[in-house]
Amino acid sequence: MKQEPAVHSPGVVVAVRGSVVDMRFDGGLPAIHTLLRAGDGGRVAIEVLSQRDARHVRGIALTPTQGLARGMPVEHTGGPLQAPVGKSILSRMFDVFGHTIDREPPLAIGEGVAWRSVHRAPPPLVRRSTSSEVFETGIKAIDVLTPLERGGKAGLFGGAGVGKTVLLTEMIHNMVGHQQGVSIFCGIGERSREGEELYREMQAAGVLPHMVMIFAQMNEPPGARFRVGHAALTMAEYFRDDEHRDVLLLVDNIFRFIQAGAEVSGLMGQMPSRLGYQPTMGTELAALEERIANTDSGAITAIQAVYVPADDFTDPAAVHTFSHLSASIVLSRKRASEGLFPAIDPLQSSSKMVTPGIVGERHYTLAQAIRRTLAQYAELKDIIAMLGLEQLSPDDRKVVARARRLERFLTQPFFTTEQFTGLTGKLVSLKDALDGCERILADEFKDLPESALYMIGAVDEATAKAKGKAKPEPEQQPTQEEAHALDDA
């Protein structure tokens, strides 16, 4: 028998306090997470968060509540907040409601577009993949020292101007061009300037046709910022489960999701927990993070920008976020100022994947040797600054030579910065990156100038670059060869 659609009686607004709206329904009460519409033309969207008694519900507005007054009718939409899914959403930019905000024609209903609830359960344990696979990015510094997990979550720590956006853009480029995947960028509490710049950069880099962008701006109500991450994951789950494609999900910034949750909790009158955070922070973050998973049909690999309040890593927001991450990539302003891009700090960055059982014995041993060499060089820098390179022992000089060559080899020209640097972008396989590091540690390139290893792809390019008398990088300190010549003299 054909089931008749449920008839929902309209409600009425009884109180408005900022973004919190109380409503009365004389018929059946709407369920938790139901989307309601009020105001002129239903312009105010309200999500039900609690049922106060037999006739009253309390909700949080996802849009500004200006003009909303007591006595106004409330329309029951019959379901929760929904996000558009389908092939047609590629290359488009959306808001939390699934409306296009890229000044292009709106999505045509029915043409490969479906709408799904943003509230979805994580994949069951029986569908999850138990094997740990490395997610290759084609970026040497990441693949060798902090490999990402396919279907895992990586945290990207970096301030303004250290190359965070460029690194994200390059990962999107490599994902699209070489792994036939889909990239989704989710801006939580983004500045409108950042979103507009990123859209233009993606367009210029030619990666927009395989990408979806969804934003909740910084000036939008906390309800919208709190739900945009769920909407982005609904889109990602479509490509993983229906299209069987790997998805790269970029979230900027996961701290603002927690911050929006704290605002919603406070507005709803819940008792705050430690340091003013909501008592349900751990549950809310887990509900979002657990949907990012590797299943039998595909994988969602997430890279999340993480803001650490006042650099306090014991802050509850940082602690709860760290518990979900499988890799941490730390960008260094000092390395960026030296021109060592990507400016990844190899000693502060880490990954749970660097174990012999996952990456293999050779990769693990090489990664440890690289870290040890770079750590020894960091300890020797003070002596070099005070006394000079010639005062070091022969063994220490070799360590410095290896470390400086490794630092330069781990730089890489990006496809997305070709128009600025004039250097052709390079995609380096993990095998080539490991071979290069191994040969540098074996002093195979000790007779080549350090600049020959700067901004190249595979290590064999260094010999050709040295023979071609490529323009050397500006260096403050003398090269190892110059130091030897001075010492001999």
Side-chain angles (χ1 to χ4, degrees):
M1 291 178 63
K2 185 178 178 182
Q3 188 176 356
E4 292 296 323
V7 178
H8 302 285
S9 59
V12 64
V13 175
V14 295
V16 183
R17 289 182 296 276
S19 292
V20 176
V21 184
D22 287 355
M23 297 151 286
R24 187 183 75 245
F25 286 83
D26 294 326
L29 282 184
I32 301 296
H33 293 158
T34 300
L35 188 68
L36 308 175
R37 293 276 180 181
D40 297 332
R43 62 176 181 78
V44 180
I46 305 161
E47 184 180 71
V48 177
L49 290 186
S50 70
Q51 296 180 344
R52 302 191 62 205
D53 54 40
R55 289 192 174 185
H56 294 85
V57 296
R58 177 170 288 176
I60 191 83
L62 307 182
T63 53
T65 54
Q66 285 90 339
L68 196 63
R70 286 193 295 178
M72 282 188 170
V74 178
E75 178 192 351
H76 194 306
T77 63
L81 178 67
Q82 294 185 321
V85 297
K87 293 181 180 178
S88 301
I89 70 172
L90 288 171
S91 79
R92 304 304 302 270
M93 184 192 289
F94 298 93
D95 63 10
V96 69
F97 299 103
H99 302 144
T100 53
I101 54 173
D102 51 9
R103 297 185 180 178
E104 299 290 330
L107 289 176
I109 302 299
E111 294 184 12
V113 178
W115 292 80
R116 292 183 182 174
S117 167
V118 303
H119 303 282
R120 298 168 65 85
L125 291 176
V126 293
R127 281 199 57 211
R128 291 177 184 252
S129 174
T130 54
S131 61
S132 293
E133 298 178 52
V134 172
F135 176 82
E136 281 195 39
T137 63
I139 299 169
K140 291 180 283 191
I142 293 177
D143 290 343
V144 173
L145 295 172
T146 57
L148 306 186
E149 181 183 7
R150 182 176 176 268
K153 296 170 273 286
L156 183 61
F157 304 83
V162 294
K164 181 173 61 178
T165 301
V166 172
L167 196 57
L168 293 181
T169 310
E170 185 71 5
M171 288 186 189
I172 294 168
H173 180 279
N174 294 351
M175 176 75 175
V176 171
H178 304 279
Q179 300 198 25
Q180 303 303 312
V182 176
S183 297
I184 296 179
F185 185 93
C186 174
I188 304 176
E190 283 283 272
R191 300 168 183 86
S192 56
R193 170 186 59 79
E194 294 174 333
E196 191 270 340
E197 286 176 358
L198 187 68
Y199 182 77
R200 279 193 290 106
E201 286 170 7
M202 298 294 117
Q203 207 168 28
V207 300
L208 205 56
H210 299 276
M211 187 176 179
V212 183
M213 304 174 81
I214 180 166
F215 288 95
Q217 288 178 201
M218 193 174 274
N219 63 312
E220 293 185 36
R225 288 180 273 126
F226 189 54
R227 289 296 177 220
V228 70
H230 297 88
L233 268 167
T234 300
M235 296 175 175
E237 287 166 345
Y238 163 80
F239 288 108
R240 180 191 67 190
D241 300 334
D242 294 36
E243 298 280 335
H244 302 294
R245 297 171 74 176
D246 281 358
V247 181
L248 179 62
L249 175 67
L250 305 161
V251 183
D252 189 9
N253 185 307
I254 201 67
F255 173 77
R256 296 195 191 116
F257 166 77
I258 295 172
Q259 200 173 37
E263 291 180 47
V264 169
S265 176
L267 288 166
M268 293 296 290
Q270 293 178 345
M271 184 70 71
S273 182
R274 192 162 71 90
L275 298 184
Y277 289 105
Q278 64 272 38
T280 53
M281 178 176 65
T283 308
E284 290 166 357
L285 185 62
L288 186 76
E289 298 279 6
E290 286 300 303
R291 289 171 66 180
I292 303 168
N294 184 3
T295 68
D296 48 14
S297 57
I300 300 174
T301 303
I303 300 172
Q304 307 168 14
V306 184
Y307 167 70
V308 181
D311 292 333
D312 179 14
F313 284 85
T314 64
D315 187 274
V319 170
H320 282 83
T321 305
F322 278 129
S323 66
H324 294 281
L325 300 179
S326 56
S328 300
I329 302 169
V330 180
L331 298 181
S332 161
R333 190 172 301 280
K334 186 174 183 298
R335 293 177 69 83
S337 67
E338 293 171 0
L340 300 173
F341 290 105
I344 296 169
D345 189 325
L347 300 180
Q348 290 192 52
S349 304
S350 63
S351 171
K352 295 178 182 175
M353 301 294 285
V354 187
T355 62
I358 297 175
V359 297
E361 192 68 45
R362 175 175 176 249
H363 186 165
Y364 172 76
T365 306
L366 268 175
Q368 295 300 100
I370 293 166
R371 286 181 190 277
R372 187 164 52 249
T373 303
L374 294 175
Q376 287 175 304
Y377 176 44
E379 291 173 0
L380 293 170
K381 277 183 177 177
D382 288 341
I383 299 174
I384 296 171
M386 290 186 292
L387 303 175
L389 196 64
E390 61 275 4
Q391 296 299 319
L392 297 179
S393 68
D395 287 342
D396 284 344
R397 287 188 192 183
K398 288 181 180 178
V399 168
V400 171
R402 291 180 200 131
R404 289 177 63 84
R405 281 165 174 76
L406 280 171
E407 282 185 337
R408 279 143 186 79
F409 177 63
L410 291 175
T411 62
Q412 189 169 338
F414 283 170
F415 291 97
T416 50
T417 57
E418 285 180 1
Q419 55 187 327
F420 307 112
T421 63
L423 299 172
T424 306
K426 305 284 185 183
L427 183 87
V428 184
S429 67
L430 177 60
K431 179 181 179 298
D432 287 344
L434 292 175
D435 284 346
C437 292
E438 191 173 43
R439 291 166 69 182
I440 291 170
L441 287 170
D443 290 336
E444 189 174 324
F445 298 93
K446 64 180 180 180
D447 297 326
L448 287 184
E450 294 168 359
S451 57
L453 291 156
Y454 179 69
M455 284 294 172
I456 62 172
V459 76
D460 289 328
E461 296 176 25
T463 308
K465 187 176 178 182
K467 287 179 180 176
K469 299 187 185 299
K471 199 178 288 184
E473 56 166 325
E475 294 188 58
Q476 301 297 322
Q477 301 179 33
T479 64
Q480 184 70 19
E481 289 70 32
E482 291 168 345
H484 278 309
L486 288 170
D487 199 32
D488 293 337

